[in-house]
Amino acid sequence: MDSSKFSTFFGNVPTFTIPGRTFPVETFFSKNVCEDYVDGAVKQALQIHLQPDEGDILIFMPGQEDIEVTCEVLTERLADLDSAPPLTVLPIYSQLPADLQAKIFQRAPPGQRKCIVATNIAETSLTVDGIMYVIDSGYCKLKVYNPRIGMDALQIYPVSQANARQRAGRAGRTGPGKAFCLYTERQFTHELLAATVPEIQRTNLANTVLLLKSLGVQDLLAFHFMDPPPQDTILNSMYQLWILGALDGTGALTPLGRQMAEFPLDPPQCHMLIVSAEMGCSAEVLIIVSMLSVPSVFYRPQGREEEADSVREKFQVPESDHLTLLHLYNQWKANNYSSAWCNAHFVHAKAMRKVREVRQQLRDILQQQRLPLVSCGTRWDTVRECICSAYFQQAARLKGIGEYVNCRTGMPCHLHPTSALFGLGSPPDYVVYHELTMTSREYMHCVTAVDARWLAELGPMFFSVKETGKSNRDKKKEAAVHLQRMEEEMKEAEQKMAEEKRKRDEEVPVKQEIATPGLNTPRRTPHRLGL
């Protein structure tokens, strides 16, 4: 959207502006600071609805909970009004089943107005015809990664000025419209950021670092990014890759890292797939990794939460959420990949079809890498051990009832209520998790119970089994030997780099003619500019 930024980054290249078909939009700011954006949005929607003008309404809300509450309150207040014209209230968010999502595109019955309550998915990703009024709550949900504790925080933040303009513009797609902002003009000009913080500055960059290393970039901190990410994030990502064995002690790519770079996945998942071929459970791990690459496949429709939870319990494997996903896929496969079966068991059929496509894609890459596709049958402990080999740096030990602490950082972690391990009579002492997300508290997503000995075997740089008779002096000696070995490796690498630099300097550059396209071609002005 910010073309001037791209233009300056690529050496002031010319830019073309192609005007879209937009109608004028009148923007109205709130007179006072809005305390409750749900209540403010409902009042504004009713005020618009009770006017005789035609046109559908689009309300922007930060997340699923706010959308559901807004729809409920709006329906209740409409019922309280006497002789109010009918209003169709339609929510849209990612966890909603596909058939309900499609309802927003259907035309409202004649004489009825449609009111769509959406997340920022309706800001750029899709356009709904007939929207004449936009109500902007001024908030959206952003995922921000903290490299120090390795945690994603999914929290509500104010939108940027660019977002606000984009939201207002949604009212002028099919005709002149009006945008109502639930914040004051002063807040818009002085408190909102000009543009949203770029995603590269607020996500885990382990995958990007692995890609850059595989492309031969030596010094990542000096790499010319358009929006340079924080130094902590890059260093933390390199540390993660070193732990997994993708980088050696000097920061160069190892053969394992080269193999991991071939997979379009997060590094721990790449590692898990490669190790699974050696452990003899690659068929099972392939399904688990495919299931993790789509958003949650289970859904809980409003009003039928208990029924959905009881159906979900049938698939749960008490030791692991990863194995729960594997069990669900196997059941779907046994039922001939049926969509009707998915609907009956509160599972997203569309997401499951995507999982199947991802699995096929990853299977092709496994074959290219000459990694065997083998199944371990019912020996699912091998699968748990394989998961532990990739996620041992995200291990947590039991502290209280349902509460864990990260073994490395001491960060408190909680089991999510939807987890298979939640509410077990005797929770496991040690678990590994796929990711840690901060919502109302620090929740671990996709948890697997592991054996303490596996952690010591597979993550020797962090964990060790306490041995009787081994003194602190012996431990210090071992650490000193390890440090010395790493320093020697570093010296060798520095010598090698100096040698390569000297060779490059010695090579005399050959003068090359630069071919300029169109240099000898006579220029003529085109009759008209066609795109």
Side-chain angles (χ1 to χ4, degrees):
M1 291 198 194
D2 187 359
S3 56
S4 57
K5 188 174 169 184
F6 281 83
S7 171
T8 48
F9 182 78
F10 290 109
N12 293 326
V13 293
T15 57
F16 288 94
T17 306
I18 303 164
R21 189 194 57 164
T22 49
F23 292 91
V25 175
E26 209 176 338
T27 307
F28 299 94
F29 289 99
S30 174
K31 293 267 193 306
N32 308 310
V33 175
C34 181
E35 295 294 331
D36 180 353
Y37 55 82
V38 171
D39 186 55
V42 170
K43 280 180 182 170
Q44 189 62 61
L46 289 173
Q47 206 173 328
I48 295 167
H49 179 55
L50 296 174
Q51 286 172 359
D53 304 342
E54 281 190 6
D56 297 334
I57 306 166
L58 172 61
I59 304 176
F60 282 104
M61 281 287 154
Q64 182 180 338
E65 306 84 16
D66 298 310
I67 288 176
E68 285 173 352
V69 170
T70 307
C71 291
E72 266 180 47
V73 175
L74 198 53
T75 317
E76 278 172 21
R77 294 215 185 149
L78 262 174
D80 294 346
L81 292 171
D82 297 328
S83 67
L87 178 71
T88 314
V89 183
L90 301 168
I92 180 161
Y93 48 87
S94 62
Q95 289 297 304
L96 203 65
D99 54 330
L100 296 178
Q101 284 190 14
K103 275 188 177 179
I104 67 159
F105 298 107
Q106 294 165 6
R107 281 202 170 281
Q112 262 199 38
R113 198 195 293 269
K114 200 164 58 172
C115 176
I116 296 162
V117 190
T119 56
N120 52 358
I121 187 174
E123 196 178 296
T124 51
S125 311
L126 48 93
T127 302
V128 184
D129 278 353
I131 298 290
M132 295 287 179
Y133 303 97
V134 164
I135 299 169
D136 180 9
S137 64
Y139 293 96
C140 65
K141 269 192 177 178
L142 278 184
K143 207 174 188 179
V144 180
Y145 179 71
N146 183 338
R148 301 242 168 121
I149 50 178
M151 183 176 73
D152 279 307
L154 186 67
Q155 288 180 325
I156 295 173
Y157 290 93
V159 293
S160 64
Q161 291 179 7
N163 282 109
R165 287 192 195 96
Q166 184 70 21
R167 287 181 173 190
R170 294 277 128 193
R173 288 282 174 262
T174 48
K178 292 178 182 177
F180 298 89
C181 303
L182 303 182
Y183 41 87
T184 61
E185 195 165 358
R186 195 192 146 280
Q187 279 178 312
F188 175 79
T189 47
H190 298 295
E191 290 177 23
L192 299 189
L193 292 172
T196 316
V197 178
E199 197 171 354
I200 193 169
Q201 294 179 349
R202 52 183 174 86
T203 47
N204 183 357
L205 290 178
N207 208 342
T208 313
V209 168
L210 184 62
L211 175 68
L212 289 172
K213 282 284 178 190
S214 70
L215 293 171
V217 178
Q218 291 294 327
D219 188 358
L220 287 170
L221 297 176
F223 186 78
H224 201 141
F225 288 101
M226 189 185 288
D227 296 298
Q231 203 170 328
D232 274 4
T233 312
I234 294 180
L235 294 174
N236 177 267
S237 302
M238 288 175 77
Y239 182 57
Q240 274 183 345
L241 292 169
W242 174 75
I243 289 166
L244 291 170
L247 300 179
D248 62 13
T250 61
L253 205 63
T254 61
L256 174 66
R258 174 76 52 201
Q259 208 170 13
M260 281 165 66
E262 295 298 322
F263 292 92
L265 298 164
D266 283 341
Q269 294 178 14
C270 304
H271 186 272
M272 191 157 81
L273 260 181
I274 294 164
V275 170
S276 68
E278 295 165 22
M279 289 186 165
C281 57
S282 52
E284 283 76 17
V285 170
L286 184 62
I287 292 170
I288 290 170
V289 167
S290 307
M291 291 290 276
L292 288 173
S293 61
V294 298
S296 176
V297 288
F298 293 104
Y299 67 90
R300 300 172 75 215
Q302 214 178 347
R304 297 176 69 188
E305 287 95 341
E306 285 178 19
E307 193 184 339
D309 289 344
S310 64
V311 169
R312 186 179 183 150
E313 274 172 26
K314 292 178 188 173
F315 298 110
Q316 286 181 345
V317 178
E319 305 94 47
S320 164
D321 289 332
H322 292 89
L323 294 180
T324 300
L325 295 173
L326 171 62
H327 181 49
L328 172 68
Y329 186 89
N330 287 340
Q331 290 294 315
W332 184 53
K333 188 180 173 183
N335 284 280
N336 284 334
Y337 307 111
S338 154
S339 295
W341 180 87
C342 287
N343 294 337
H345 290 87
F346 299 96
V347 173
H348 283 295
K350 199 174 175 184
M352 291 301 283
R353 284 195 292 275
K354 178 94 169 112
V355 168
R356 201 170 152 196
E357 283 172 29
V358 171
R359 184 185 168 278
Q360 187 56 48
Q361 211 176 335
L362 293 175
R363 192 180 161 189
D364 294 346
I365 299 172
L366 276 177
Q367 284 171 348
Q368 282 169 17
Q369 296 292 308
R370 293 191 171 81
L371 293 168
L373 192 68
V374 279
S375 172
C376 64
T378 52
R379 289 181 294 109
W380 281 7
D381 276 3
T382 317
V383 181
R384 275 170 52 216
E385 201 171 335
C386 183
I387 293 164
C388 181
S389 75
Y391 287 105
F392 61 83
Q393 78 270 27
Q394 293 176 353
R397 59 184 168 77
L398 188 65
K399 187 190 175 192
I401 300 167
E403 189 184 342
Y404 286 80
V405 287
N406 189 303
C407 296
R408 280 198 309 134
T409 58
M411 186 74 195
C413 316
H414 299 86
L415 289 171
H416 200 270
T418 57
S419 171
L421 286 84
F422 186 81
L424 282 183
S426 54
D429 290 338
Y430 289 90
V431 295
V432 292
Y433 55 85
H434 173 58
E435 65 177 354
L436 188 66
T437 307
M438 172 81 186
T439 45
S440 50
R441 38 194 328 200
E442 304 88 348
Y443 281 121
M444 297 182 285
H445 284 273
C446 232
V447 181
T448 288
V450 293
D451 194 283
R453 288 194 176 277
W454 296 347
L455 290 171
E457 280 170 34
L458 302 163
M461 62 279 285
F462 294 146
F463 310 106
S464 61
V465 178
K466 229 178 197 174
E467 292 173 28
T468 48
K470 197 172 185 182
S471 66
N472 278 348
R473 196 165 150 199
D474 294 341
K475 281 183 188 170
K476 279 180 185 170
K477 262 187 189 175
E478 274 182 24
V481 168
H482 181 66
L483 187 67
Q484 194 180 349
R485 196 169 65 242
M486 281 192 65
E487 280 176 358
E488 283 169 8
E489 270 183 28
M490 199 64 215
K491 274 179 189 168
E492 277 177 32
E494 278 172 1
Q495 281 173 0
K496 204 174 170 185
M497 280 162 74
E499 190 73 25
E500 281 176 6
K501 192 172 184 289
R502 192 172 56 76
K503 275 185 185 173
R504 275 202 305 273
D505 293 344
E506 280 175 7
E507 285 173 8
V508 183
V510 182
K511 193 176 181 246
Q512 289 182 330
E513 287 269 328
I514 297 172
T516 310
L519 189 67
N520 302 320
T521 317
R523 290 179 65 88
R524 58 188 183 80
T525 312
H527 294 301
R528 65 190 181 84
L529 187 67
L531 289 174

